[in-house]
Amino acid sequence: MKISTRTRYGLRLLIYLAGSEADRLVQVKEIAKHENIPAKYLEQIIRPLKKAGMLKVVRGAKGGYFMERAPESISVKEVFDVLENSTHLIDCLKDGNFCEGKESCSTFDFWDNFNKVINDYLEGVTLADILKMQREKCKKLMFYI
Amino acid sequence: MKISTRTRYGLRLLIYLAGSEADRLVQVKEIAKHENIPAKYLEQIIRPLKKAGMLKVVRGAKGGYFMERAPESISVKEVFDVLENSTHLIDCLKDGNFCEGKESCSTFDFWDNFNKVINDYLEGVTLADILKMQREKCKKLMFYI
DNA sequence: GCTAATATATACTGATTTTATCTATAAGCA
DNA sequence: TGCTTATAGATAAAATCAGTATATATTAGC
């Protein structure tokens, strides 16, 4: 039960973008450098996020990305749905998935419930929440230094 | 974020065993047949569960497995710890794991919290709970038929 | 038209998971 | 004792997937 690097990178990328000045165009290269992530991999990750309408792009020279929606309105669940290739803990939970045992399977209801617990949590956390956590942590750090 | 087949099989195997008469020796072959799981794979799964003290074995002819501990006392979290090779959502959460970014990483606290939510849930569900759910489902099914 | 940026597809590599195979060991039983 | 039925354990094979890299196309600024 691991979170893919794809989703982890994607979340950091979003937090970085959400934390930048609102009117600035941020290039993949810059994020890659700051977050220490392979740039080409980031490009593959950022595109589905754009397609999902979370951010927008200006192509060509001096171009870059910027947030389209407010960080308060984007839940981590949404990010998972876009990036994590299997949002479902087990295949049986997929909509319309055929599973002969569903009705008799001893563990189906448990997995179903577990899945709900996870999704409820992820729906309850927004990018803004994470940004806030991060900023508070920074303040504390500065205080110690 | 997928649950490994190993853990899923293991849980079903435990539920099957916990649901059998207490004094009966159950053979891997029987579980494999009933649950439609490759027998040799089950053997690999059942051993660590035995090592963890959840069940015991009588070797040789007419041998088999039986539950050592009460299903009420075994949480799903324990099963995960034994079977799921990565209990941590991300490597950074491992004890003693070195991560340069830990203090400054924008998402570390979020993952840490998410991990806790999951573990709390898994600790709160026991094999007996799942067994009960299953039996109630059976009753309902019988009612409709 | 040159340069800087993203868009897209694809291929390579390595790790991991699932399954299968083979041999060893233990215990019941004639 | 020797045959049979179990698990024990190591290891190999197959399949899948994640992560990365490469190559080419497209878009826009200057």
Side-chain angles (χ1 to χ4, degrees), chain A residues 49-80:
Chain A
L49 294 172
K50 190 197 63 174
K51 207 172 270 179
M54 296 183 196
L55 32 84
K56 273 201 166 169
V57 71
V58 174
R59 288 182 66 168
K62 307 236 170 176
Y65 290 90
F66 61 98
M67 293 300 292
E68 163 78 341
R69 286 169 49 196
E72 290 79 15
S73 76
I74 302 177
S75 72
V76 183
K77 170 75 164 71
E78 272 191 81
V79 181
F80 266 66

Side-chain angles (χ1 to χ4, degrees), chain B residues 27-29 47 50 59 61 65:
Chain B
Q27 288 152 22
V28 168
K29 214 195 295 178
R47 248 165 271 150
K50 191 195 62 173
R59 286 183 66 169
Y65 290 91

Side-chain angles (χ1 to χ4, degrees), chain B residues 15-74:
Chain B
I15 294 299
Y16 184 85
L17 210 57
S20 305
E21 302 96 282
D23 53 350
R24 191 162 73 86
L25 291 178
V26 182
Q27 288 152 22
V28 168
K29 214 195 295 178
E30 178 188 330
I31 309 177
K33 202 174 172 188
H34 185 270
E35 297 291 327
N36 201 27
I37 297 171
K40 281 291 169 187
Y41 194 28
L42 260 194
E43 282 182 17
Q44 288 179 44
I45 294 173
I46 206 168
R47 248 165 271 150
L49 294 173
K50 191 195 62 173
K51 209 172 268 177
M54 295 183 197
L55 31 85
K56 273 199 166 172
V57 71
V58 174
R59 286 183 66 169
K62 307 235 169 179
Y65 290 91
F66 61 97
M67 293 300 290
E68 163 78 340
R69 286 169 50 198
E72 289 79 16
S73 76
I74 302 176

Side-chain angles (χ1 to χ4, degrees), chain B residues 64-91:
Chain B
Y65 290 91
F66 61 97
M67 293 300 290
E68 163 78 340
R69 286 169 50 198
E72 289 79 16
S73 76
I74 302 176
S75 72
V76 183
K77 171 78 164 67
E78 271 191 82
V79 182
F80 266 67
D81 285 342
V82 174
L83 294 180
E84 192 76 12
N85 20 23
S86 52
T87 318
H88 306 276
L89 289 180
I90 56 175
D91 285 339

Side-chain angles (χ1 to χ4, degrees), chain A residues 33 51 56 58 62 71 87 98 101 106 123 125 128-129 136-137:
Chain A
K33 201 173 174 189
K51 207 172 270 179
K56 273 201 166 169
V58 174
K62 307 236 170 176
T87 319
F98 179 75
S106 58
E123 264 167 28
V125 182
D129 294 329
E136 269 161 20
K137 192 155 80 166

